Amino acid sequence: MPEQDTAPPQLLCGSSELQERGKAVTFDVIQWREPVRAFALRFDGQAVAYLNRCAHVPTEMDWQEGEFLDADKRFIMCSIHGAVYDPLSGQCVMGPCNRGRLTKIEVTERDGEVYWHPTRDTKPAFQD
Ligand code: FES
């Protein structure tokens, strides 16, 4: 039997904590043994999550803790130099991120709760 090297889905928050185009819920992950912040938000009814790391310069993007959307709440916008990302795909649509994209974290919702799915590269913060 192959060794299982990914952790099971991790509880992130209650579904009701992710309001449509509202404030993101932030959480911590380990990517390649380094701690990285991540965030989840709801857009067009879908819960989505990404590493909090801009494709332009690998730095955190929020304007204030959990605030990632532009003034019109149509796009994720980096607070540093204004890179603009599609909230559902994480693809750069404008600004200095060029053809880059945010690193997506798979999330699912079940019984009123949101879970994120670790991978071989992106693990829960309590693992290394
Ligand atoms: S660091 Fe995000 S746009 Fe430059």
Side-chain angles (χ1 to χ4, degrees):
M1 218 169 120
E3 186 183 337
Q4 183 169 358
D5 56 4
T6 57
Q10 305 289 305
L11 181 61
L12 203 166
C13 63
S15 291
S16 62
E17 292 177 62
L18 296 182
Q19 295 292 318
E20 176 67 27
R21 302 182 194 217
K23 192 171 176 181
V25 171
T26 57
F27 58 107
D28 296 306
V29 304
I30 300 289
Q31 190 189 47
W32 302 318
R33 297 183 179 272
E34 296 292 328
V36 184
R37 301 283 286 161
F39 65 98
L41 52 78
R42 187 178 304 283
F43 194 90
D44 287 353
Q46 284 186 48
V48 293
Y50 300 98
L51 294 185
N52 186 0
R53 198 165 53 194
C54 189
H56 177 220
V57 176
T59 188
E60 296 191 1
M61 303 184 295
D62 31 350
W63 299 83
Q64 293 177 24
E65 169 91 17
E67 301 287 354
F68 290 88
L69 296 178
D70 66 347
D72 295 336
K73 299 194 181 298
R74 292 180 56 211
F75 297 102
I76 293 169
M77 180 182 270
C78 178
S79 66
I80 308 298
H81 311 109
V84 178
Y85 299 93
D86 181 314
L88 294 180
S89 69
Q91 179 68 51
C92 176
V93 293
M94 204 181 340
C97 42
N98 293 318
R99 295 184 180 173
R101 61 169 55 221
L102 301 176
T103 302
K104 197 164 196 170
I105 295 176
E106 185 186 350
V107 293
T108 52
E109 288 191 88
R110 177 162 39 92
D111 300 330
E113 294 184 311
V114 181
Y115 295 82
W116 71 274
H117 293 245
T119 65
R120 289 179 61 162
D121 295 331
T122 305
K123 301 180 178 187
F126 57 80
Q127 288 191 334
D128 70 355

